[in-house]
Amino acid sequence: MKVVIVGGVAGGASAAARIRRLDEHAQIVMIERSGYVSYANCGLPYYVGGVIVDRDELTLQTPESFWDRFRIDVRVRQEVTAINPTEKTVNVHALDSGKVYTETYDKLLLAPGAKPTVPALSGVDSERVFTLRTVEDTLRIRRFVEDQKPKTAVLAGGGFIGLEMAENLVEMGIAVTIVQRPKQLLAPLDADMASFVHAEVRRHGVVLRLGETVTGFRQDGDSVLTLLEESEPLHSDMVLLAIGVTPDTHLAKDAGLRLGIRGSIVVNERMETSAPDIYAVGDAVEVTHFVTGQKALISLAGPANKQGRIAADNVCGGNSRFTGSQGSSVLKVFDLTAASTGINEKTAKAAGIAYEKVVLFPASHASYYPGAQSLTMKVLYEKETLRLLGAQIVGREGVDKRIDVLATAIRAGMTALELRELDLAYAPPYSSAKDPVNMAGFMIEDLESGKVRQFHWSDVEGLPRDGSVTLLDVRTEGEYRRGHLNGFLNIPLDDLREHLDELERDKPVYVNCQTGLRSYLACRLLTQYGFACAHLAGGYSFYQAVMKEWLAQSPYLCGMEKL
């Protein structure tokens, strides 16, 4: 059996090695357009920033190492220019020598990946405008930074690559401005959770120009102008386009393969395309979202590696299946970690899923052990079935392990209530006896059993201020003086029992505290004394973070309470 693989990196390289492990006698040819066949794509920004010093550390495998260990024929700097499904051949162009030849195959596996989205804007081909996708892109940016020593940079786009590059450039002393049309960074997060990321990047001097549209670029001596639709141009020494990626599927299209959303390659669970004996994996393929069941594009290394393994199994006569991706991701943003899995509120609404959510601020480990830091967690679940839908966490410690637990729970089909029962490891330096994931389950249990009701930050401004309801802040007097919600009366929780007669029992009570814990306790107390009560999810801290971000984007607004 002869297998030709188009593209390396995650999916293609994983498939090649797996095929060899399954079939010692297969002839395997891997053709890669760039000069590097298997490299750490996610590590590229850290090489630019000097965190990864040795460029060889980016290379996971070389053509020589593939041959020595697996006897796989790897051809770099060669580009497949056409696929001929009927003849079962591919046309190849050797970029260095100019040689053109035809290669036959019994099985063909496509792993072309995705290319940076480069809009058709004027000046986009300037030598000071960069994209970052390949090792060659990385080396070009690194040389520019070392030779030209830029002082300012504009990043168009605020996704994973954009934020990683922002951090690395700032650490090199470069002033960074991020410009993008969406009004928040990191699309997998909801806007309220993204507000914590916004505050962190601003804290490190990054200027955010959100809701702005780039219309083009213009060279201006030794600098470049980023032209904006409704604002003055931005001057900088360099520009990085990090708008996103587009499936690189022109070969599949020309060969008549069936295409899906945004031109991606349609595959079944076995990673088979619409053409016999042709498989496809990685960022170029359309997948099924594990939570919604809808078609999606999820450009992450984890799913690409799994798909490569599954395709290899089936190339070799197996029956492996890819059951979908839920988009689990984690990102270092200066001193914060931001992570998500499953779907967010925006996606749930678009999919027509009726959901509920809890917001909590648990400590990363036992609060009495030094160094505990607060996590901000949001967990979504389906109202009717209690099926877990997604989670988002932002914090400084312990984010990654909690998001992995929640990702596993989603994959296992657990309900939100079953989070209570997870038996998770505990020692004071690492966790609490009631882990934050358990706490989310306890909160959901109280909501679903009717022991507590909640309202959200987005409901605060709509609460009546006409005396028809009681607005109650149960923080300390000092906390209240430092800032509070408009119209909320202050009675500290520890004094509440002695002041019950000051509250009218026929009026609903809306309770607020700093993070939601004391307001929950107040609601349990008040409910047992006959009051109808609801507490603010996430408390004043969550509301404050969201409103500060709103004000940062709308500096002309005034008249709000001190935040």
Side-chain angles (χ1 to χ4, degrees), residues 457 460-462 465 482-487 540 543-563:
W457 66 266
V460 169
E461 298 307 313
R465 263 76 174 182
R482 288 192 289 272
H484 58 271
L485 299 176
N486 180 37
Y540 184 73
Y543 177 87
Q544 182 184 42
V546 177
M547 290 297 105
K548 276 188 174 180
E549 174 55 30
W550 186 60
L551 288 174
Q553 292 193 42
S554 308
Y556 54 88
L557 294 172
C558 59
M560 295 189 65
E561 281 291 322
K562 177 184 174 184
L563 291 174

Side-chain angles (χ1 to χ4, degrees), residues 130-180:
F130 301 88
T131 58
L132 179 58
R133 185 66 177 173
T134 66
V135 174
E136 287 88 348
D137 293 336
T138 309
L139 299 179
R140 178 175 168 235
I141 297 172
R142 177 73 176 263
R143 282 194 300 270
F144 179 87
V145 170
E146 290 176 342
D147 295 345
Q148 301 296 320
K149 296 180 172 50
K151 295 292 188 287
T152 55
V154 168
L155 306 186
F160 293 101
I161 292 294
L163 285 177
E164 288 171 344
M165 279 300 300
E167 178 179 347
N168 280 277
L169 293 176
V170 166
E171 295 296 335
M172 299 172 73
I174 299 172
V176 172
T177 298
I178 296 178
V179 184
Q180 67 169 25

Side-chain angles (χ1 to χ4, degrees), residues 209 212 226-235:
R209 300 288 295 269
E212 301 254 19
T226 299
L227 308 178
L228 303 177
E229 189 171 77
E230 297 181 352
S231 303
E232 292 298 311
L234 299 175
H235 288 258

Side-chain angles (χ1 to χ4, degrees), residues 358 360 377 379 381 386 388 406 414-422 434-449:
V358 292
L360 57 159
M377 292 178 59
V379 178
Y381 63 97
L386 302 186
L388 283 168
L406 288 161
M414 294 176 61
T415 68
L417 294 183
E418 288 178 303
L419 296 179
R420 303 168 302 169
E421 302 167 13
L422 289 176
K434 292 186 286 189
D435 188 85
V437 175
N438 297 134
M439 291 301 301
F442 297 147
M443 291 175 66
I444 292 167
E445 176 190 28
D446 282 344
L447 278 177
E448 292 303 314
S449 65

Side-chain angles (χ1 to χ4, degrees), residues 262-305:
R262 291 181 56 197
S264 57
I265 303 171
V266 172
V267 293
N268 60 19
E269 290 180 327
R270 291 169 46 86
M271 309 312 298
E272 296 169 324
T273 71
S274 58
D277 296 321
I278 300 180
Y279 299 75
V281 301
D283 293 355
V285 305
E286 177 186 85
V287 300
T288 298
H289 197 289
F290 183 79
V291 175
T292 66
Q294 298 176 349
K295 297 303 180 183
L297 286 177
I298 299 178
S299 299
L300 294 169
N305 275 280

